[in-house]
Amino acid sequence: MIGTPARLVLSATLAVTGSGIFLREAPGNSIPVPITLAAAAQARGGTIKDRVRLTGKSPGNAVIRMGVDPMCGRMNAGKQVVNEQVVVSADGGLANAFVRLQGSFPRTTPPTQPVTIDQRACFYLPRVVGTQVGQTLQVRNSDPMLHNVHSLSNGTNGFNVGQPSAGMVYTFQLKQEEVMLRLKCDVHRWMTAYIGVVSHPYFAVSGTGGTFEIANVPVGTYTIQTWHERFGSLTRPVRVTAGATAIVDVPYTGEEKPPPTADARELIVPRSAVSSQ
């Protein structure tokens, strides 16, 4: 005899199949009961999205004196290479901002897929990444020359290794939360990257147009923090509801002070003092 739907619902658990979302049958029952999309959305949480913007004038980027290393100069021949601290789209979208939710969340397993930073043409690419505590950072050397991978950690995420040839890969499991962890090359001091290490999966890095999206956020009210290497940190409140998208606009004026970690000025000179290579 099949139990009543009420008893079945109270003792069932969620299950997702290729054909839909169901409640698993309770002990002693054999018929899974479909649930509504609204209930599924409640289980999933919501989404946070919008863009990081620069409302004021961009301060521009300094030109890098690539000629201090002839091989780096040859790989960038014909280019006026700049230190891309501030990457702004035509409509003001600000790239390379690290966005995360502040607060405590249920413990989740970090992704098994590593986060990769490549050393290519004497630059770290990408410049800003986000990772979860316990996830593996992978730093690859694609240049046929010596690079040094040196993290400036305030905790246990420190390492300092040399990669003298192309194809070398260094891996490191990030041990604790750190916003932000700076990566630099002691051989080519303009080479800089930043790694946001957090204890949960609710983070993103703004793209070329300044846009970002954080999915599957538990329902609740949070503070969202945005970090940029030139303009520092901003915070905004955000309320996440089940199955909905919360829009968060993050405007920088351009008057903000650089954060203490934004020291990547060695061997960099003002644009006005350098002619095109």
Side-chain angles (χ1 to χ4, degrees):
M1 181 177 178
I2 299 175
T4 64
R7 290 177 183 172
L8 182 61
V9 170
L10 287 172
S11 57
T13 56
L14 281 175
V16 181
T17 71
S19 59
I21 304 175
F22 298 88
L23 289 173
R24 294 189 191 279
E25 61 271 21
N29 296 283
S30 58
I31 302 176
V33 178
I35 62 175
T36 65
L37 290 178
Q42 176 71 39
R44 291 195 309 270
T47 299
I48 301 171
K49 66 187 303 184
D50 208 333
R51 65 200 298 251
V52 184
R53 298 182 297 119
L54 180 63
T55 60
K57 182 180 179 182
S58 172
N61 294 306
V63 174
I64 299 173
R65 190 183 297 160
M66 280 285 182
V68 298
D69 188 314
M71 188 172 290
C72 289
R74 286 195 295 271
M75 285 190 287
N76 292 277
K79 304 175 185 177
Q80 188 177 65
V81 185
V82 299
N83 177 34
E84 294 189 334
Q85 283 189 319
V86 182
V87 179
V88 186
S89 64
D91 62 349
L94 184 62
N96 292 331
F98 180 70
V99 184
R100 63 149 178 166
L101 292 187
Q102 294 182 325
S104 298
F105 298 89
R107 192 178 187 87
T108 59
T109 302
T112 57
Q113 184 73 16
V115 170
T116 300
I117 295 177
D118 194 9
Q119 295 161 107
R120 194 184 318 144
C122 298
F123 282 99
Y124 285 123
L125 299 172
R127 190 177 181 97
V128 180
V129 298
T131 63
Q132 193 171 342
V133 173
Q135 193 170 3
T136 297
L137 173 69
Q138 179 176 267
V139 185
R140 181 184 305 275
N141 186 8
S142 293
D143 291 339
M145 61 188 299
L146 171 66
H147 287 305
N148 166 256
V149 187
H150 185 185
S151 71
L152 304 180
S153 175
N154 292 320
T156 58
N157 292 322
F159 54 85
N160 190 353
V161 297
Q163 292 185 322
S165 58
M168 297 188 71
V169 177
Y170 174 72
T171 59
F172 181 84
Q173 188 176 56
L174 295 154
K175 298 178 175 65
Q176 70 177 78
E177 190 166 83
E178 194 161 0
V179 180
M180 299 287 287
L181 175 64
R182 183 186 166 201
L183 196 66
K184 74 168 187 171
C185 174
D186 295 320
V187 181
H188 308 100
R189 296 186 179 179
W190 62 82
M191 290 179 62
T192 298
Y194 292 94
I195 306 159
V197 188
V198 293
S199 59
H200 56 73
Y202 310 115
F203 61 85
V205 177
S206 63
T208 303
T211 57
F212 67 89
E213 180 174 321
I214 305 174
N216 301 319
V217 180
V219 171
T221 300
Y222 305 101
T223 296
I224 190 167
Q225 181 192 50
T226 304
W227 178 96
H228 186 271
E229 67 171 288
R230 174 61 179 80
F231 303 122
S233 295
L234 294 177
T235 57
R236 291 286 186 275
V238 59
R239 180 173 176 80
V240 178
T241 56
T245 298
I247 304 301
V248 180
D249 182 43
V250 184
Y252 283 97
T253 65
E255 300 297 325
E256 295 84 1
K257 300 292 184 182
T261 55
D263 182 17
R265 301 179 181 84
E266 305 100 324
L267 298 180
I268 300 174
V269 298
R271 181 189 297 270
S272 60
V274 180
S275 59
S276 299
Q277 295 182 352

